[in-house]
Amino acid sequence: QVQLVESGGGLVQAGGSLRLSCAASGRTFSGYAMGWFRQAPGKEREFVAAINWSGGTTYYADSVKGRFTISRDNAKNTVYLQMNSLKPEDTAVYYCAARGGGGVRIFPREYDYWGQGTQVTVSS
């Protein structure tokens, strides 16, 4: 079992930045690939970014490529999402997720554990 707790969300103006954190506890964190997803009201949960177990491989949705950066610190059992040049369309609840096996994936069904989410609101 892995428990995930997100933090760092909030209200920011367009063009601003936020850094989300996801702290993991339970099983060995370094054995899991991690992903960030988001869900806006009335929309399906969508992939944002993913990172493999070592941090050596990352993958991004086209909508955030060049603006968001995913990273992890296995010593701190934490994964991060640095979000720059935020746009109103980035407004959503952001979730982190963990999957065993270590490789990056983009579909929610491929992840085993989920956090409770943190709200990000970008004003225009």
Side-chain angles (χ1 to χ4, degrees):
Q1 192 79 2
V2 175
Q3 293 80 41
L4 303 173
V5 179
E6 302 97 334
S7 61
L11 173 64
V12 63
Q13 289 187 333
S17 298
L18 283 174
R19 188 175 83 155
L20 305 183
S21 299
C22 174
S25 60
R27 293 192 174 182
T28 305
F29 177 69
S30 60
Y32 289 80
M34 301 296 295
W36 284 98
F37 293 78
R38 65 188 182 187
Q39 189 166 18
K43 295 188 176 181
E44 292 187 353
R45 191 166 299 189
E46 67 172 359
F47 170 77
V48 175
I51 189 167
N52 76 331
W53 69 274
S54 68
T57 300
T58 58
Y59 191 75
Y60 298 91
D62 287 343
S63 59
V64 306
K65 201 173 294 183
R67 300 188 297 123
F68 291 11
T69 302
I70 188 171
S71 62
R72 66 190 295 161
D73 184 338
N74 287 344
K76 295 183 178 179
N77 289 356
T78 302
V79 63
Y80 305 97
L81 186 68
Q82 178 67 44
M83 305 186 295
N84 299 329
S85 302
L86 282 160
K87 305 175 181 180
E89 51 263 45
D90 294 318
T91 295
V93 177
Y94 282 71
Y95 298 89
C96 73
R99 68 176 302 274
V104 299
R105 297 289 187 275
I106 67 171
F107 296 106
R109 64 177 181 267
E110 297 179 288
Y111 286 78
D112 305 305
Y113 303 101
W114 292 84
Q116 83 291 345
T118 185
Q119 177 70 47
V120 172
T121 303
V122 184
S123 63
S124 57

